[in-house]
């Protein structure tokens, strides 16, 4: 214990003197912050431009987080500790992740709900009851709308969340966090571009999907036409023989 207090005291002295230890700690914090920012940018760009393609995976990850939280609450209420608590949390996370993976509309609803509530609370706070009620109401309405229009809703919500994640990471690396307008500008531009790109990819996929049945019908009609021609030729040959 005395050794630990001695080390802490040395760190405090070095910080006050701007010594090597303080520089080392600052460098470590800088590296951690840089790593978090880079991860935020990479994840954000994937969400922003490929959100619809990754929606099932994203939904499953949302399920893991919510399931783990639910397992923690359940084990705390039941006063369960130790390895049993870990099993309950793990089981809840896996079950809910699997459920939402196959019911990805539920995942879209949850993402929209959580993001809407978080955004409203950031700007208004959660101190006033009216703000809380407004946030929950808006989150439910937007979540249901996103769930009904699943593909379009997935595009919009993943583009916005990805834009926020990547934009804040870029602002952090660029040293623009002190200028909120620049940060919001980067977030807005990325969200708009991501939405546009995903809708273009979505339109191309739908166009390709619509062409596939038409090709099958055309091929079927062509085969039927060839069969009819062959039958007519056989009939003509029979008439000639007679």
């Amino acid at each position: 214990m005395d050794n630990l207090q001695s080390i802490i005291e040395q760190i405090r002295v070095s910080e006050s003197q701007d010594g090597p230890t303080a520089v080392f700690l600052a460098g470590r914090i800088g590296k951690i912050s840089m790593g978090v920012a880079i991860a935020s940018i990479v994840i954000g760009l994937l969400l922003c431009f490929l959100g619809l393609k990754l929606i099932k995976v994203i939904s499953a990850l949302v399920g893991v987080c919510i399931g783990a939280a639910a397992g923690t609450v359940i084990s705390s209420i039941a006063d369960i500790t130790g390895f049993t608590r870990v099993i309950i949390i793990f089981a809840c996370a896996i079950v809910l992740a699997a459920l939402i993976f196959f019911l990805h509309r539920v995942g879209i609803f949850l993402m929209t709900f959580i993001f809407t509530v978080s955004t409203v609370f950031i700007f208004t706070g959660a101190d006033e009851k009216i703000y809380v009620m407004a946030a929950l109401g808006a989150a439910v309405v937007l979540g249901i709308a996103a769930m009904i229009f699943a593909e379009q809703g997935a595009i919009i919500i993943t583009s916005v969340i990805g834009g926020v994640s990547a934009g804040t990471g870029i602002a952090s690396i660029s040293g623009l966090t002190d200028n909120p307008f620049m940060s919001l500008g980067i977030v807005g531009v990325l969200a708009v571009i991501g939405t546009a790109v995903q809708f273009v990819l979505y339109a191309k996929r739908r166009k390709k999907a619509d062409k596939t049945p038409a090709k099958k019908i055309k091929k079927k009609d062509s085969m039927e036409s060839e069969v009819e021609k062959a039958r007519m030729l056989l009939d003509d040959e029979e008439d000639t023989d007679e």
Side-chain angles (χ1 to χ4, degrees), residues 209-226:
D210 292 339
K211 283 183 177 180
T212 302
K215 287 181 180 179
K216 290 181 179 179
I217 293 171
K218 186 176 180 180
K219 185 176 180 180
K220 182 180 178 181
D221 292 340
S222 177
M223 291 179 64
E224 290 177 352
S225 177
E226 293 296 328

Side-chain angles (χ1 to χ4, degrees), residues 45-54 151 154-160 191-204:
L45 291 177
L46 287 174
L47 280 173
C48 202
F49 296 104
L50 298 173
L52 183 59
K53 291 181 178 294
L54 301 174
E151 294 180 324
I155 288 173
I156 294 171
I157 190 63
T158 55
S159 296
V160 173
V192 170
I193 294 174
T195 301
V197 169
Q198 287 203 66
F199 268 113
V200 169
L201 295 175
Y202 171 68
K204 287 182 177 180

Side-chain angles (χ1 to χ4, degrees), residues 172-187:
S172 177
I173 290 177
S174 304
L176 300 174
T177 51
D178 294 334
N179 190 335
F181 295 104
M182 286 295 295
S183 300
L184 287 174
I186 296 171
V187 169

Side-chain angles (χ1 to χ4, degrees), residues 26-200:
R28 294 295 297 175
I29 294 172
K31 288 180 180 178
I32 292 172
S33 300
M34 180 67 71
V36 171
I38 291 173
S40 177
I41 293 171
V42 172
I43 294 171
L45 291 177
L46 287 174
L47 280 173
C48 202
F49 296 104
L50 298 173
L52 183 59
K53 291 181 178 294
L54 301 174
I55 190 61
K56 287 191 174 183
V57 176
I58 298 168
S59 298
L61 292 175
V62 172
V64 168
C65 296
I66 296 175
T72 302
V73 172
I74 292 170
S75 57
S76 296
I77 293 174
D79 197 20
I80 299 172
T81 58
F83 188 66
T84 306
R85 180 188 180 94
V86 175
I87 292 175
I88 291 174
I89 295 173
F90 182 76
C92 289
I94 295 300
V95 169
L96 199 59
L99 180 63
I100 296 181
F101 179 83
F102 293 105
L103 301 175
H104 63 278
R105 287 176 184 266
V106 178
I108 295 171
F109 173 83
L110 292 173
M111 279 191 292
T112 307
F113 183 90
I114 294 170
F115 180 75
T116 304
V117 171
S118 302
T119 303
V120 173
F121 284 170
I122 287 171
F123 287 101
T124 64
D127 298 330
E128 297 291 336
K129 186 177 179 180
I130 188 171
Y131 292 148
V132 175
M133 297 300 293
L136 293 175
V140 170
V141 171
L142 292 176
I144 292 173
M147 187 170 59
I148 293 172
F149 304 99
E151 294 180 324
Q152 295 87 345
I155 288 173
I156 294 171
I157 190 63
T158 55
S159 296
V160 173
I161 295 175
V164 171
S165 177
T168 52
I170 292 171
S172 177
I173 290 177
S174 304
L176 300 174
T177 51
D178 294 334
N179 190 335
F181 295 104
M182 286 295 295
S183 300
L184 287 174
I186 296 171
V187 169
V189 169
L190 285 174
V192 170
I193 294 174
T195 301
V197 169
Q198 287 203 66
F199 268 113
V200 169

